[in-house]
Amino acid sequence: DGKFEVLVQRRADSKKIMPGHLGTVGGKADEEDEDSRATVLREVREETGLVDGIEVGPAKFAEGASVDWFVMLLHEAHFAPAKTELECGDIAYALPLLPKGTIPADCFGHAWVPVDRLHQIDESRQPMMGGMLQKIGQGVTHLRRILKEPSPREAAQNRVEAAATGNDPAAT
């Protein structure tokens, strides 16, 4: 997972639900949204100011009674000022509590966190939205399927099998 980072946001302290918690970008559908994919694109643009850089997605990986979950792969993303900063709190407060390798994003209230280090976040010091780590894991798994990449476990298994059969290119 060392190559994937997730964009997390610190929810504004003024929010009634989970103020100051880390979460992922999301929100409710508006009447003008054609479908949940349109909702996620609108929400990402509103909350982050994303202008371009979507390489893959949004791709739906989970569906719930009132929430659909999507994953996107960004490359050289560009952000304009978000439509509102009311959704997010200042990520600077959370940065000292986030894992090594975390960097502030070019959009207010957000940071890029290495996926393989998310488990290092101490929720007693920096709370996260419930189920966030599990959903990020599911999103990364879905993205790997799209990209046809093995998971770290599958890659290790492949190396063991290749070594056992004498087909390990790393051994030559």
Side-chain angles (χ1 to χ4, degrees), residues 62-75:
E63 199 169 295
S66 61
V67 176
D68 290 341
W69 290 85
F70 289 82
V71 64
M72 294 190 300
L73 178 65
L74 303 180
H75 181 72

Side-chain angles (χ1 to χ4, degrees), residues 90-123:
D90 192 346
I91 197 69
Y93 296 118
L95 286 175
L97 306 173
L98 298 179
K100 182 179 177 183
T102 297
I103 55 171
D106 292 336
C107 46
F108 178 79
H110 296 78
W112 294 104
V113 181
V115 169
D116 63 342
R117 294 187 178 159
L118 280 168
H119 68 280
Q120 296 173 0
I121 299 173
D122 179 354
E123 287 194 68

